[in-house]
Structure formats: C-alpha cells, structure tokens
Amino acid sequence: MTHRHATPATPEAGTQATDTSGAATDSPTDSTTHSPPDSGPTTPPPLALTPPHDLRAHLDRRLGGAARAWLDQALEEAATHPGGHGPISVWELRLAEAGRRCGAEHADAVRVLILHAAHADTAALSRVYQQGTAAERRAVLHALPHLVTGPDALPLVEDALRTNDTRLVAAAVGPYAARHLDAHNWRHAVLKCLFTGVPVDEVTDLERRARADTELARMVGDYAAERTAAGRPVPDDLHRVLALTESAPAPRGTDTPHGKES
C-alpha cells in the first residue's frame, strides 16, 4: 500500500528502518520494542481460527512494553476512527508499521487485530487487499472469518488462489473458504495446495469436505498419474487427500452439479 510515511502511533515506537531507497521496511530497529517479556511458546496461534481476544492475550504475553503501547494506541485509533479521514484511514497506515513496531513474527496477528478493531467491512478489506503488500493481503485473508459473514469477499480468496505465493494460498484456504467456496472452486483450491506444496493441513475442514468426494478423487488421481508418468514423486499429501475421498462410500450420480471438472 502507498502509506509508508505514517506518524508513529506513540513516541516510544522507535525509529523506522529504511532500505537503500529510503522507503520504510519491516525490519525492526529497536529490539526492546518487541522482545518477549516471557519465555512461553513462540508459535503464533492459527489467526483465522483464534478469537481476537485470544490473539490479543497471546501478543500481550509476547510483546515488549513499547510494542504493547504502540499496539494499544493503534487499536484505539482503529476503534475510534474506523472510517476514512482523507484518502486513507489512520488504521490503514498502522498496518504498514506492524512489522517494524511489533516484530515480523507478530505482524500478521497485529494486523488482524487492527482490522478487527476497525470493523473493516468488505469494501475496506478489498481496498487493503488490492493496494497492500503481500503481508497485508495475507492479514486480510486471515481476518475474513472474523469480519465477513457472507460470501461477498470470495473474490479476494479466489485472487489469492491464482497466485503462486504459498503463504497467500495457505491463508486463502482457511475457514472462510471452507464455508463459502463452492465444490468446484474448493476442489481446485485443494489441488492448488498440492501443486504449490502448501501442506493440506492448512485446508480448513478438509476431512469433512473431502469425504466420499468422487470428483475430487478423480482429479487427485489424474494429478498423481501425471506426476508418475513424468517420473516425478507423488507427494504424501496427495495420498492423504485420496484416502479421505475414499473414507465413505459414495452413491453413483453424486458428482458436482457443475459437471465434470479438470
């Protein structure tokens, strides 16, 4: 997004790092800004599946004092001024600062919390996604199940699934996709994971949606045959998906109403 000149949310936030062109980067400049105050687990919780208050509790345990102060201010700004003020909202500027202020390992969770505090609707989420960096797009995808109840944001998921950015693909196949992608597009999302090496563990509700899906079995079987014919290994995840499709008998004539897929 074109918003790299944000005013720091707090005086303690520190000096922004810059690359050789003078543009701000996500590299931290002050380790005290985001040094963990405890030695608990550092693995971030699954962002799309974890309620925002639990994400905040996780960050409060991991962030240093200056980073927590910056996050407090950023969330207050988002909640107080969720709408646009000029060409861009204040909270949108904070999305760009998240990595520098709170550390790259916490930036996704911070961005999800800011989007949630701002009650970002589909239009705002689409704007952030379309104008944002890959990291900001990823945060939007993680935030979808927290903020959008219907299928209106599916174009964002479909766009991410057309990329070869594995982190975007992994974020796109979360609970929002599980709820709203139709059978045709969901099957192709699973294949996309196999093509790009995204672990199928990232696919929310894989076991339920794949069960007895004969069309998915055909598609996965065709892909396995192609790899074998080309002398390439068949990934373990492919065998796992194929086993899930055979986990219950499927009556004849239950293929997708969209017709045969490829």
Side-chain angles (χ1 to χ4, degrees), residues 54-68:
D54 289 341
L55 285 182
R56 180 61 192 274
H58 170 81
L59 289 173
D60 283 345
R61 291 191 298 269
R62 302 305 310 161
L63 295 177
R68 287 199 307 274

Side-chain angles (χ1 to χ4, degrees), residues 33-215:
T33 300
H34 39 72
S35 296
D38 62 44
S39 57
T42 59
T43 302
L47 303 181
L49 296 169
T50 304
H53 67 272
D54 289 341
L55 285 182
R56 180 61 192 274
H58 170 81
L59 289 173
D60 283 345
R61 291 191 298 269
R62 302 305 310 161
L63 295 177
R68 287 199 307 274
W70 179 88
L71 179 58
D72 287 342
Q73 182 65 27
L75 295 178
E76 182 179 350
E77 288 173 343
T80 305
H81 304 291
H85 293 270
I88 194 168
S89 301
V90 174
W91 59 264
E92 293 182 59
L93 301 175
R94 303 307 171 215
L95 296 176
E97 299 178 358
R100 300 191 300 279
R101 306 306 183 187
C102 300
E105 69 273 29
H106 303 304
D108 282 1
V110 167
R111 291 183 178 110
V112 169
L113 287 179
I114 291 173
L115 290 167
H116 186 268
H119 300 287
D121 59 13
T122 302
L125 292 168
S126 298
R127 182 175 66 251
V128 171
Y129 183 91
Q130 291 161 4
Q131 299 177 0
T133 64
E136 290 159 1
R137 291 183 172 199
R138 189 168 62 244
V140 167
L141 294 169
H142 286 311
L144 289 181
H146 300 302
L147 294 169
V148 183
T149 57
D152 294 350
L154 274 178
L156 306 183
V157 172
E158 292 163 353
D159 180 84
L161 290 172
R162 287 191 291 268
T163 74
N164 289 318
D165 183 329
T166 55
R167 297 183 72 184
L168 274 182
V169 172
V173 293
Y176 187 81
R179 286 201 293 264
H180 298 296
L181 273 182
D182 62 25
H184 173 89
N185 287 307
W186 183 83
R187 289 170 183 141
H188 281 279
V190 174
L191 280 180
K192 182 74 173 192
C193 290
L194 297 176
F195 293 158
T196 58
V198 172
V200 295
D201 283 340
E202 301 288 350
V203 181
T204 300
D205 280 353
L206 173 67
E207 183 173 352
R208 177 184 64 83
R209 291 201 62 168
R211 185 177 298 117
D213 189 333
T214 55
E215 182 61 15

Side-chain angles (χ1 to χ4, degrees), residues 232-249:
R232 303 176 67 187
V234 176
D236 290 341
D237 271 355
L238 188 149
H239 295 297
R240 180 182 170 194
V241 173
L242 196 58
L244 288 173
T245 66
E246 298 168 352
S247 60

